Amino acid sequence: PDGTTGYTRDGQFQVDNNGQVVTANGYPLQPAITVPDNVSNLTIGEDGIVTASVAGETAVVQLGQLDLADFVNPQGLKAIGNNLFRETEASGNPVIGTPGLAGLGTIQQGTLETSNVDVVEEMVVSAVS
């Protein structure tokens, strides 16, 4: 809400009126991903690459990339509400990278985690609060 970077594990992304991919609470992702009006199919790969079928294009178009964030001490993150967390001195700085590389997990489109997953350990996608 104040314009600083927050981190979320809530993957219920939506497209707002401006075509921006946002969190369920309307916060834009960073880096920003814009979805054109004429998209018929939007896909997020395990590597975080966002692609779409666009009217008039024969091949799928890459729209952007979702990054994952990892922390030395995820329990040190500060919950700020709306499924957002902020880094603290206790959490350490985020290590941001491509899903599936350098020890980061992958993204699974259209899936839900099980109830006994450690919420803080599964913190993944950055967003602006």
Side-chain angles (χ1 to χ4, degrees), residues 19-109:
Q20 295 292 307
V21 177
V22 297
T23 66
N25 291 304
Y27 301 122
L29 301 185
Q30 293 298 321
I33 298 174
T34 302
V35 178
D37 288 335
N38 53 351
V39 165
S40 61
N41 186 29
L42 190 67
T43 303
I44 302 172
E46 289 186 357
D47 57 1
I49 294 177
V50 180
T51 58
S53 297
V54 178
E57 300 287 332
T58 55
V60 295
V61 176
Q62 183 172 332
L63 302 178
Q65 168 88 40
L66 295 177
D67 293 327
L68 299 182
D70 191 20
F71 294 87
V72 174
N73 177 25
Q75 289 79 11
L77 291 165
K78 179 181 179 183
I80 59 173
N82 295 321
N83 287 320
L84 293 176
F85 295 81
R86 239 189 228 133
E87 71 180 89
T88 67
E89 190 173 307
S91 70
N93 294 327
V95 176
I96 298 174
T98 302
L101 298 178
L104 295 173
T106 58
I107 295 175
Q108 298 294 314
Q109 180 174 335

